[in-house]
Amino acid sequence: MLREVAEYPNSFGPLGPKDERIETERYTLCMGVAKTWNTVQRQRLRPDEIDEVLGEVRALLRDRGRVRTQWEVGSSAEPPDLVDRLLERGLTWDKDPYAVALVLTREPPPPPPEIVARRIETLEEYAAASAVQWEAFGMPAEEIEEARATLAERWAETVNVMHAAWLDGELVAAGTAAPTEHGLLLYGGATLERARGRGAYRALLHARWQEAVRNGTPALITQGGSMSRPILERLGFERVGEIHMLLDEFGKRGL
């Protein structure tokens, strides 16, 4: 079960008031507040159903004014060669196209004493933490503008939690988490480039572990991309699966 949650976290996390999740026998389509926050997960298809499902997903998104989606294809996806079949149909690799599903079930190393890490408490901290994530991940300007416009609304309505780490009084690392019955799902853990290598990410992770323990679900579940995977594995996360990330920008191709 932990492998499936780690491969497809959006399919198991709590929904915000403006999030939407469509679950079918063949796939799960997850949609966030921003029109670019879409992903297809938990694919269970026959080879002869792929074209039909692509059309169905595109129609659902188009009806909601959305013209692109990510496909996250995990180890348990069917058919086993789904990634190749989607690439043949015009989907492309995402910017960070490969991740591993990772789970931590024991306490990670403690943070260095000069780093303070805790759950954020105010809208101002939420805005600063979000800005760290945007910068660290190189988020496109148009997506930042859309996200900034909804900051106050998302802070008021969020069902997730966010933690941050401070170095010399400056917020330098941040990460989002979603509580589930299986553990805490981790998203978007990031550290500003100028502060890397000083323990901020480790402090952030330890704060999130403490959150999971307080919830009575002592497990951290996440996906590790090229940037985060090495440090997560050094801190004790174990591989339980893998995920390939593709983009279907059907609006650009007139599909």
Side-chain angles (χ1 to χ4, degrees):
M1 188 66 209
L2 285 178
R3 183 185 79 168
E4 188 171 11
V5 177
E7 289 184 350
Y8 303 122
N10 302 98
S11 296
F12 293 92
L15 292 174
K18 294 187 178 180
D19 296 333
E20 185 178 4
R21 186 159 59 214
I22 298 174
E23 300 184 58
T24 76
E25 293 182 354
R26 301 190 293 187
Y27 63 89
T28 299
L29 173 61
C30 307
M31 293 167 280
V33 176
K35 291 185 177 182
T36 55
W37 297 352
N38 312 301
T39 183
V40 182
Q41 303 183 339
R42 304 184 77 195
Q43 302 90 4
R44 302 169 295 275
L45 314 175
R46 297 193 314 267
D48 62 353
E49 294 179 315
I50 294 174
D51 290 323
E52 178 185 346
V53 167
L54 275 171
E56 186 176 305
V57 168
R58 289 166 178 167
L60 288 167
L61 291 166
R62 196 178 289 110
D63 287 347
R64 292 159 175 78
R66 300 173 183 232
V67 294
R68 55 173 284 182
T69 185
Q70 186 186 60
W71 280 67
E72 298 186 36
V73 183
S75 307
S76 54
E78 293 290 340
D81 62 347
L82 179 58
V83 169
D84 291 336
R85 292 176 181 270
L86 290 172
L87 290 171
E88 290 171 357
R89 287 162 170 80
L91 275 69
T92 58
W93 291 111
D94 204 346
K95 180 172 60 176
D96 199 355
Y98 175 77
V100 295
L102 297 166
V103 174
L104 181 70
T105 55
R106 63 182 186 273
E107 185 175 2
E114 66 271 18
I115 305 288
V116 175
R118 60 169 172 79
R119 187 168 173 169
I120 64 168
E121 299 173 347
T122 66
L123 173 59
E124 290 72 24
E125 289 181 349
Y126 182 66
S130 298
V132 165
Q133 292 176 316
W134 301 338
E135 180 179 339
F137 288 114
M139 193 170 172
E142 63 273 13
E143 293 185 22
I144 291 176
E145 183 178 353
E146 183 178 10
R148 184 177 285 117
T150 60
L151 267 175
E153 182 181 6
R154 287 190 286 120
W155 169 246
E157 298 180 345
T158 186
V159 294
N160 295 328
V161 295
M162 184 176 270
H163 296 81
W166 285 260
L167 175 63
D168 297 329
E170 180 189 6
L171 197 159
V172 297
T176 307
T180 77
E181 61 181 307
H182 308 288
L184 203 64
L185 292 173
L186 307 185
Y187 304 97
T191 304
L192 294 177
E193 186 173 3
R194 64 179 179 275
R196 290 173 189 166
R198 301 181 63 180
Y201 193 90
R202 177 156 49 101
L204 181 67
L205 187 68
H206 197 269
R208 295 153 109 186
W209 170 263
Q210 292 175 317
E211 181 89 22
V213 171
R214 285 194 295 270
N215 292 345
T217 56
L220 300 180
I221 306 164
T222 192
Q223 295 178 355
S226 59
M227 291 179 62
S228 61
R229 183 169 65 249
I231 186 172
L232 288 169
E233 291 183 326
R234 285 198 303 271
L235 293 173
F237 278 81
E238 297 181 3
R239 295 187 182 210
V240 294
E242 61 179 16
I243 311 98
H244 292 89
M245 317 290 192
L246 291 82
L247 285 178
D248 184 15
E249 297 184 289
F250 53 90
K252 289 184 178 180
R253 294 180 284 130
L255 297 174

